[in-house]
Amino acid sequence: MYLSRLHLRNWRNFSEQVVEIPPEGVAIIGDNGQGKTNLLEAVYYLEIFRSFRGAPDEQLVRFGEEVFRVEGTLRDPGGTDRTIAAAFERRRRKKKVTVNGAEPERLGDALGLVGAVIFSPSDVELVAGGPGERRRFLDIVLSLAEPGYLPALQRYRHALFQRNTLLRQNAQRALVQAFDDSLVAAGSRVLAARARWVAERAAGFAEHYARVAGGQPGFVSFVPSVDLPEATPPADDVARAFRDQLERVADREAARGMTLAGPHRDDLRFTTTGGDGQALDLRTYGSGGQQRTAAIALRMVEAETIRATRGRESVILLDDVFAELDPGRSRRIIEWIDQSGSGQVILTSPKETDVQIHGGGLPRWTIRDGVVTPLS
Ligand SMILES: Nc1ncnc2c1ncn2[C@@H]1O[C@H](COP(=O)(O)OP(=O)(O)OP(=O)(O)O)[C@@H](O)[C@H]1O
Ligand SMILES: [Mg+2]
């Protein structure tokens, strides 16, 4: 399955653009500010129906227009085509998603159909930025990979919001505790899924990091907000640990007026090993290239998760990823892409010379001012 066609209307700096994309993918070359990231953002919008850059939908509508529409066709060789479309109306703030022309019962049912993973320069924030970035990453991957995760997360946020409101209003403890059951039930589901995912993928991460970094070690670990009795405890134990922790922080919660334990305070930690064998936190001590390498290794395990979930190659979107990486690292990333099979690769670069994927054999397009031109 691959993305065979993309139709953009009033999306960012595109007015009306239809492109046919070959099964192996394409390299999109263009100067800064011409729409390369915008195009990948549109493809990924069909995966999660949000901007991967965190932009609100209003910003995605072309300046001076009212409605954007993005439509993608997924071609299954030997099977039937599937069309995914998303439109957003600025004035009414109304979003409409369709799959083969029909609206899914819940938006969650349409998530992840493209099977795309995006590698972007801003991924460095996954390592260097605040914990919110890392939780957002976990939430997207697990929403795509695990049925039930997104509804649990939504229930958790709802309970958390109500509990925080009461704490802020200095409500009696019994009133606050009335939300503990739903907070703990939904929160332990989220926590357990995150803990399990990191435990399952940590070895793969270390392998990717070490390979891309030419032998330097790199690790990821989960830093749960709740003291867990083991790395991946059974659901009942997670719930019990969460409840115990709420008990312990109750006085501080009342004083600070907010919930102080739970998955809204989870984090991921990235480390390498220093000269003396000590763990060095990459967020604090990593070089730009090391942080970038960790972010790329994280995207690689994400791609593997998506592949395992969908049972097919993922569509790999590479937004100018080789900038700032040394030639060895770039080469080893390309090797990973080439090895991981026949999946489609859509990459962008401001420079011709960067493009060596599939032996440099990807078809090329240029992009200028929101207009794509295939180079024959
Ligand atoms: N809603 C919008 N309507 C019209 N133009 C927009 C909109 N949002 C962004 N743009 C324009 O899109 C352009 C940026 O596009 P994009 O981020 O895709 O560039 P790029 O080709 O990836 O550049 P770089 O190489 O610098 O990353 C800017 O010129 C910006 O003004
Ligand atoms: Mg860009």
Side-chain angles (χ1 to χ4, degrees):
M1 189 119 77
Y2 67 98
L3 184 70
S4 61
R5 186 170 183 273
L6 184 69
H7 183 173
L8 308 178
R9 184 181 301 148
N10 294 331
W11 170 272
R12 294 268 196 195
N13 67 335
F14 293 87
S15 59
E16 175 96 31
Q17 177 88 55
V18 181
V19 287
E20 305 283 339
I21 311 170
E24 69 270 31
V26 64
I28 305 171
I29 317 291
D31 286 346
N32 298 133
Q34 302 303 312
K36 302 185 296 297
T37 304
N38 293 348
L39 191 139
L40 297 186
E41 188 181 34
V43 174
Y44 202 72
Y45 195 91
L46 296 175
E47 175 84 357
I48 63 169
F49 307 109
R50 284 160 56 170
S51 158
F52 84 92
R53 302 201 246 199
D57 289 325
E58 290 81 353
Q59 279 178 28
L60 309 175
V61 183
R62 183 174 159 88
F63 301 148
E65 298 291 339
E66 275 305 316
V67 184
F68 77 65
R69 187 164 191 284
V70 180
E71 184 187 284
T73 306
L74 291 174
R75 178 148 303 161
D76 184 1
T80 43
D81 284 358
R82 172 135 74 165
T83 303
I84 306 166
F88 177 80
E89 207 178 312
R90 194 200 319 251
R91 195 162 308 146
R92 293 198 297 154
R93 305 174 130 260
K94 207 171 165 344
K95 176 149 52 188
K96 183 173 173 183
V97 168
T98 57
V99 179
N100 287 340
E103 270 185 272
E105 216 161 289
R106 284 160 307 175
L107 195 59
D109 298 339
L111 285 178
L113 293 178
V114 182
V117 176
I118 185 157
F119 292 67
S120 132
S122 59
D123 288 348
V124 74
E125 289 303 314
L126 289 170
V127 180
E133 303 278 344
R134 290 179 284 281
R135 285 191 294 268
R136 188 171 121 88
F137 169 83
L138 287 170
D139 289 340
I140 292 173
V141 175
L142 287 164
S143 297
L144 294 173
E146 221 185 282
Y149 183 88
L150 184 59
L153 182 66
Q154 286 162 341
R155 286 196 304 275
Y156 179 74
R157 287 186 176 148
H158 186 68
L160 180 67
F161 177 80
Q162 291 181 304
R163 199 173 180 276
N164 278 342
T165 306
L166 288 170
L167 282 165
R168 208 169 36 242
Q169 293 165 347
N170 260 317
Q172 286 175 8
R173 181 140 168 203
L175 279 178
V176 174
Q177 282 175 331
F179 285 99
D180 285 9
D181 284 349
S182 44
L183 190 83
V184 168
S188 12
R189 175 98 173 63
V190 170
L191 248 164
R194 290 175 178 175
R196 208 176 329 114
W197 186 79
V198 179
E200 276 167 13
R201 296 290 162 185
F205 176 93
E207 206 177 294
H208 291 311
Y209 186 98
R211 200 188 47 246
V212 174
Q216 273 178 30
F219 308 98
V220 64
S221 56
F222 183 48
V223 188
S225 57
V226 167
D227 299 324
L228 298 176
E230 53 190 292
T232 55
D236 286 355
D237 291 4
V238 177
R240 196 168 312 119
F242 190 1
R243 209 174 270 285
D244 290 351
Q245 191 121 346
L246 284 173
E247 198 59 47
R248 281 199 295 279
V249 297
D251 290 343
R252 275 201 293 140
E253 286 190 335
R256 302 224 358 228
M258 62 170 105
T259 301
L260 293 177
H264 64 294
R265 295 164 78 95
D266 286 345
D267 203 354
L268 289 174
R269 184 163 178 248
F270 300 96
T271 54
T272 185
T273 314
D276 52 3
Q278 247 190 329
L280 282 183
D281 204 316
L282 286 175
R283 185 179 178 198
T284 330
Y285 296 107
S287 72
Q290 287 174 321
Q291 292 177 339
R292 215 162 272 284
T293 303
I296 286 167
L298 191 65
R299 291 297 183 200
M300 288 173 169
V301 292
E302 177 186 357
E304 283 158 1
T305 304
I306 301 295
R307 189 188 310 160
T309 310
R310 299 278 147 203
R312 59 175 165 88
E313 286 303 331
S314 43
V315 175
I316 303 225
L317 310 174
L318 299 173
D319 193 15
D320 197 13
V321 277
F322 303 113
E324 291 179 52
L325 286 178
D326 62 49
R329 282 177 205 235
S330 303
R331 181 167 44 75
R332 292 185 293 265
I333 293 167
I334 292 170
E335 280 166 10
W336 172 79
I337 293 167
D338 282 345
Q339 275 164 18
S340 54
S342 53
Q344 195 177 31
V345 180
I346 305 178
L347 74 81
T348 75
S349 171
K351 282 173 271 171
E352 276 281 349
T353 49
D354 280 341
V355 188
Q356 289 305 323
I357 285 172
H358 295 335
L362 280 185
R364 281 150 206 249
W365 298 347
T366 58
I367 183 165
R368 208 191 136 111
D369 213 2
V371 177
V372 173
T373 314
L375 288 183
S376 46

